Amino acid sequence: MKRTLPPLVSIKHGSYWHVATVDGKRKWTKLCRVKAGLPAMYLALAELKIDKKGLEDMMPKLVANWMLEVGVKHKAKTQADDRTHNKAITNAFRDFRANQIEPPDVSTFLETWASQPRSYNAYRAALRERMRYAEAKGFRKAGSNPVDSIPTMSVKARTRYITDSELRRIKVAANYGADGKRTRAGHTLCCFIDMAYLTGQRFGDLLRLQWSQIGKDGILFEPSKLEDSTQVRVLIEWTPKLRNVVARLKNPPPQPTTKGKAKPMSITHVFTTLKGAPYTYDGASTAWTRARDRAGVKNAHFHDLRAKALTDVDEHRDIKEAQGMGGHSTQAQTADYIRHKKAKKVSATR
């Protein structure tokens, strides 16, 4: 059969692709969908001669501009997620212009997370937002978002309950590295974990905790997740264990390999790095993941500590106190939050 396509052009997954060899590796650049016809393919092929680094609608540049214009306004935790999503989107669509992405391309991109519904939906939402941004900038026609054709995956309510034994193993792993020696950041991470469990507060609120919020009656939290008009201030009253955590934070031990010197303390933030700078979401999350994996504990998120705290308060005291700790407006909200985290113990009928 006589070849009808130009040199270096191939058909794959219903699209025309330009295949070139760059630095000994094959580089695939999407031209257009086959159904768009040969004229569209030849036009896209001609545009390859343009210096793509200067094109605002190339996906890597579009994603970078989105982060500078939109993502920078998000909170620290969300920005950390944005950076993770941006990296995946940039790598997957490096040779795409915004108007070249179509539903089949989206499906191919999301296949990586087909067995992880939460991650699948998160990456789907991230790509949908970047495509919305492309429409707003005039790089795509209004109402042409290719992600809209791809449905979300159903997600089951998270039921993970971290046991006391698992939590102890994670803290031991935080203190000791794979080589059996004490880690430099283990002390801070263990205090962070203990504070999260004892107070039941959110990751971001712990990171923002300042010494001025610690008073004679306890620790005052002002959850940032809620709107200002409905914000609930939560005062976690003192217990011996909570006082112990604060005392450990005020008197950090000498760091390994630092000739007996303790890390510097911040006069504002409670949780800080080895250099005295505020603990970041990325830093704390990475430290948690490393300790969890070293401890061999599976499927445990830092957010699960809040669920564990509210569940234990509900079990040993009552749901009203769990509601107060969680800053929830109704007990129904609290009940829904802690539901199925831990099996209820009841006696047999007879």
Side-chain angles (χ1 to χ4, degrees), residues 281-303:
Y281 176 83
D282 286 339
S285 179
T286 299
W288 163 266
T289 301
R290 186 185 299 116
R292 179 201 64 192
D293 293 345
R294 196 155 53 223
V297 178
K298 306 294 184 182
N299 187 31
H301 302 166
F302 191 90
H303 181 71

Side-chain angles (χ1 to χ4, degrees), residues 318-329:
D318 57 44
I319 195 172
K320 186 174 182 179
E321 286 206 41
Q323 176 191 354
M325 174 178 277
H328 296 145
S329 57

Side-chain angles (χ1 to χ4, degrees), residues 12 62 85 93 100 113 121 127 153 174 184 221 224 232 251 260 271 294 306 325 350:
K12 184 178 180 180
L62 182 139
H85 297 152
F93 300 104
Q100 292 179 318
W113 302 278
N121 290 343
L127 182 56
M153 296 183 70
R184 298 177 64 200
F221 288 92
S224 60
V232 177
N251 300 280
F271 294 102
R294 196 155 53 223
R306 176 170 163 85
M325 174 178 277
R350 293 184 181 179

Side-chain angles (χ1 to χ4, degrees), residues 71-123:
V72 72
K73 300 175 183 178
H74 295 162
K75 294 179 180 177
K77 180 182 182 302
T78 305
Q79 285 192 38
D81 293 336
D82 288 339
R83 288 191 290 271
T84 299
H85 297 152
N86 287 346
K87 182 178 180 180
I89 292 171
T90 297
N91 290 338
F93 300 104
R94 184 171 300 279
D95 296 317
F96 284 70
R97 298 175 72 170
N99 63 359
Q100 292 179 318
I101 299 178
E102 298 189 24
D105 304 314
V106 177
S107 294
T108 300
F109 168 68
L110 294 175
E111 283 176 0
T112 301
W113 302 278
S115 62
Q116 303 168 271
R118 291 180 186 276
S119 295
Y120 180 99
N121 290 343
Y123 279 95

Side-chain angles (χ1 to χ4, degrees), residues 2 23 34-35 56 58 63 74 92 101 127 199 238 244 247 252 281 314 316 328:
K2 185 177 179 180
D23 296 330
V34 171
K35 64 182 180 182
E56 295 291 325
M58 289 300 295
V63 169
H74 295 162
I101 299 178
L127 182 56
T199 65
W238 290 117
N244 177 263
Y281 176 83
D314 174 42
H316 298 298
H328 296 145

Side-chain angles (χ1 to χ4, degrees), residues 195 209-221 234-239 242-243 246 250 270:
M195 182 74 79
L209 183 63
Q210 298 190 9
W211 290 112
S212 60
Q213 296 172 244
I214 299 178
K216 64 177 183 179
D217 296 323
I219 303 177
L220 181 64
F221 288 92
V234 179
L235 177 67
I236 304 297
E237 297 179 328
W238 290 117
T239 64
L242 186 56
R243 286 187 183 278
V246 173
K250 288 183 177 179
V270 174

